[in-house]
Amino acid sequence: MSKYLPGLLILCSTPCFAASPYTVDLAAGLISDDNITNGRDAKDIEDDTIIAADAGVSYHHPLDDHSAITGHLDLALQQYQDFDKLSNSDLKLGIEYRFQPDLHFTAPWYFASLNWGQQAYDSEFRDNSYIQLGVGLGKRFTDTISLIAGFSMHSSRAENSLFDVDSNRFYINADLKTAPNNTTYLTLQLISGDIISTNVPPHPAALNGINWVDDDAYPSLSSPWTYRLDADTTAIQFGNHFAFDSHQAVDVSISRYDSDAYGNFSYERTIISAHYLYRF
């Protein structure tokens, strides 16, 4: 699970009810993606480096000693260095409810969230609005080990309907606090639903009859077909979060995605990211 915005989860990975109701989070970083096309074969695979910047503001409102509601507004920007038509902005508005029946240190807490967002791309096809619903629980086992598990649904509707995406995700995240200011984490995700993939000639026969578009996001590729397939994806992320103080932190992670899709297609993808975080 990504540890940077929204929320700086490592800095507040339990139902911590802050003294100030407002928090402002900033993040900046670099992302390396070795398969931005979700390509199957070597001829289809393109990599890129992305400059990322995020800003978010949250308002936390305790309902009583056991529950609270948090609203947040986040803006994320990504600038692709080679395939700049994939550059995008993501404006998201969300609300989360948390409830902890028992206030003991190791007692579990539960949460439900609703997010609505709007993504704008330099590519004419990909502009979309989306909605996300999620539920889950968290638990501290000791003062160094904690776990969060959940289920979420994502549904987006794009300018071109081929880029509409619906998916369901189960995830489990484990945090290990290795030092007072350092946390190592591991996340497993099981994702079922749509993926977007791009292929260049010669096109596999298995794609015959599949809707596709001649994608404007890859002008350097010859006749790129981009299409949507139903897939099952397993993702594993390993990362480390180091806090300089209560306001600043650095987060580094590596994620591996393996997808099995319609037509016996398999896709592999590795994403490496490093972010500097600041909370006011």
Side-chain angles (χ1 to χ4, degrees):
M1 178 186 299
S2 175
K3 293 296 177 179
Y4 62 96
L5 295 179
L8 291 179
L9 295 181
I10 286 290
L11 298 182
C12 188
S13 60
T14 64
C16 49
F17 300 156
S20 172
Y22 292 98
T23 56
V24 176
D25 294 316
L26 302 177
L30 288 175
I31 302 170
S32 174
D33 188 334
D34 73 352
N35 189 0
I36 61 171
T37 50
N38 263 331
R40 183 187 69 165
D41 302 321
K43 67 180 178 61
D44 306 319
I45 295 173
E46 297 289 343
D47 60 76
D48 208 344
T49 299
I50 305 106
I51 299 174
D54 305 77
V57 58
S58 301
Y59 176 75
H60 183 83
H61 177 67
L63 300 176
D64 53 38
D65 290 340
H66 296 270
S67 62
I69 292 177
T70 301
H72 61 87
L73 178 65
D74 305 297
L75 175 64
L77 304 175
Q78 291 189 329
Q79 179 65 49
Y80 284 71
Q81 300 307 288
D82 295 327
F83 297 91
D84 57 1
K85 281 187 172 292
L86 293 176
S87 299
N88 65 87
S89 62
D90 184 345
L91 181 65
K92 180 166 64 175
L93 178 66
I95 188 169
E96 181 180 84
Y97 171 75
R98 288 196 179 197
F99 176 66
Q100 187 175 26
D102 192 328
L103 298 182
H104 290 167
F105 181 80
T106 59
W109 69 91
Y110 307 90
F111 60 88
S113 62
L114 170 65
N115 295 303
W116 175 89
Q118 186 81 35
Q119 288 183 308
Y121 283 81
D122 289 347
S123 166
E124 64 179 278
F125 300 128
R126 289 174 166 81
D127 290 356
N128 71 88
S129 60
Y130 62 86
I131 190 168
Q132 298 168 330
L133 298 171
V135 294
L137 61 88
K139 178 177 171 59
R140 290 185 294 195
F141 293 92
T142 68
D143 58 353
T144 60
I145 299 173
S146 62
L147 181 146
I148 296 176
F151 169 78
S152 65
M153 297 183 294
H154 175 99
S155 181
S156 66
R157 293 298 175 262
E159 188 73 19
N160 185 305
S161 61
L162 185 139
F163 292 91
D164 295 348
V165 171
D166 294 297
S167 63
N168 298 322
R169 178 175 70 110
F170 293 94
Y171 63 89
I172 184 167
N173 177 86
D175 289 345
L176 174 63
K177 192 171 184 179
T178 58
N181 60 343
N182 193 82
T183 300
T184 298
Y185 59 90
L186 181 67
T187 306
L188 171 66
Q189 301 182 73
L190 302 176
I191 307 166
S192 178
D194 300 317
I195 63 170
I196 305 297
S197 180
T198 300
N199 175 276
V200 297
H203 302 295
L207 293 180
N208 293 340
I210 300 294
N211 292 332
W212 58 274
V213 296
D214 191 359
D215 200 339
D216 68 333
Y218 305 105
S220 62
L221 303 184
S222 174
S223 301
W225 284 13
T226 293
Y227 47 91
R228 182 182 66 221
L229 295 176
D230 185 53
D232 292 319
T233 300
T234 300
I236 298 177
Q237 182 185 39
F238 177 76
N240 192 79
H241 183 100
F242 178 83
F244 298 103
D245 52 39
S246 61
H247 296 284
Q248 301 180 83
V250 170
D251 186 274
V252 179
S253 70
I254 181 170
S255 302
R256 171 73 175 189
Y257 295 81
D258 292 284
S259 300
D260 294 316
Y262 170 88
N264 293 320
F265 288 149
S266 295
Y267 305 92
E268 299 174 350
R269 189 174 189 177
T270 300
I271 298 175
I272 301 172
S273 67
H275 287 79
Y276 170 75
L277 318 171
Y278 192 89
R279 165 167 285 180
F280 292 93

